[in-house]
Amino acid sequence: MFKITERQYHIILKQAQDSFPYEAGGILGGREDTILGVLPIANKAFEKGTQTFSLGNDDLERAYHFLVKHKLEYLGVYHTHPKGIPYPSEQDLAHNQKYLFIIGLRDRYNPELYAWRVEDGRVFREDVKIISDLGVTVIDVNTGQPKMSEYLSREAMTKLGKLIDDWIAGKEPEYPKLEPKNWDASSFSTFA
């Protein structure tokens, strides 16, 4: 079974909706069958029609650096089937991937994410479970240390997530105006 965090799942769905009716996709990384990183990739086959998703060598190099930087294992490529079911096509199977992650958009507003394991040309369905972001430690990519989210409450993380989502959607974040605190400037000294 694969698990995917809510945030990563929503990144994939947003890309799928934004690219519709064209195929979209990217790279999935994680640890111990938990998808913790999504790298959306622009479709190189965009001009060829709506039924193909293609990666270039530069995409693979960028994916490699993404996975190394975030200390993630490569889990597989995901892509959409904008007008179909999330079952691997002959073209999907020809790429010899161990796992295939397909988002079916037969009903555009009720997408289906399926994971498939491929062994000797046979296809087996793997369960996918969406898990809460709560409890997932966010690591600062510059320092490699846990970020503040590890120490914030669920309410504070939800508020922060909403601010980030609004900003991504192009909406200017609104911050609460705080009243000045009473502070006695006479107690301030520059002498050490």
Side-chain angles (χ1 to χ4, degrees):
M1 173 186 354
F2 283 96
K3 294 174 273 187
I4 184 169
T5 64
E6 291 171 340
R7 174 137 339 257
Q8 305 310 317
Y9 178 71
H10 289 296
I11 289 170
I12 292 171
L13 292 188
K14 180 172 181 352
Q15 180 192 19
Q17 294 295 337
D18 289 348
S19 300
F20 190 85
Y22 296 92
E23 282 203 19
I27 303 292
L28 299 175
R31 286 184 218 101
E32 300 174 7
D33 297 331
T34 300
I35 299 165
L36 299 168
V38 172
L39 179 63
I41 294 179
N43 189 351
K44 297 293 192 261
F46 192 74
E47 298 84 27
K48 293 182 183 176
T50 60
Q51 302 301 312
T52 305
F53 176 73
S54 178
L55 304 169
N57 287 336
D58 57 327
D59 297 319
L60 297 176
E61 185 175 337
R62 196 163 42 103
Y64 170 78
H65 291 293
F66 170 79
L67 296 169
V68 168
K69 179 179 181 177
H70 297 289
K71 298 181 175 85
L72 300 174
E73 301 166 18
Y74 170 77
L75 296 178
V77 173
Y78 71 91
H79 71 282
T80 61
H81 285 181
K83 296 179 182 170
I85 59 173
Y87 189 81
S89 66
E90 291 299 319
Q91 182 179 355
D92 296 335
L93 295 172
H95 293 291
N96 298 319
Q97 294 285 315
K98 181 177 181 179
Y99 295 106
L100 298 168
F101 299 87
I102 303 172
I103 302 94
L105 297 167
R106 175 178 38 190
D107 178 352
R108 181 178 178 190
Y109 297 102
N110 291 301
E112 301 172 281
L113 171 62
Y114 281 45
W116 303 95
R117 178 173 35 92
V118 182
E119 292 178 0
D120 300 321
R122 296 181 314 179
V123 180
F124 304 92
R125 183 170 172 201
E126 296 282 333
D127 290 330
V128 179
K129 180 181 179 184
I130 301 167
I131 61 171
S132 170
D133 290 313
L134 196 65
V136 174
T137 302
V138 177
I139 302 296
D140 184 311
V141 295
N142 297 315
T143 66
Q145 299 299 312
K147 283 188 143 186
M148 66 179 177
S149 62
E150 184 177 34
Y151 308 104
L152 292 179
S153 69
R154 181 180 188 96
E155 179 184 329
M157 283 303 297
T158 300
K159 188 175 180 181
L160 178 61
K162 183 175 178 350
L163 285 170
I164 291 169
D165 290 341
D166 287 349
W167 179 74
I168 290 171
K171 182 179 174 187
E172 193 67 31
E174 293 180 28
Y175 299 99
K177 293 190 178 186
L178 303 175
E179 295 296 321
K181 293 183 177 186
N182 291 335
W183 179 61
D184 180 9
S186 66
S187 66
F188 180 74
S189 172
T190 58
F191 295 108

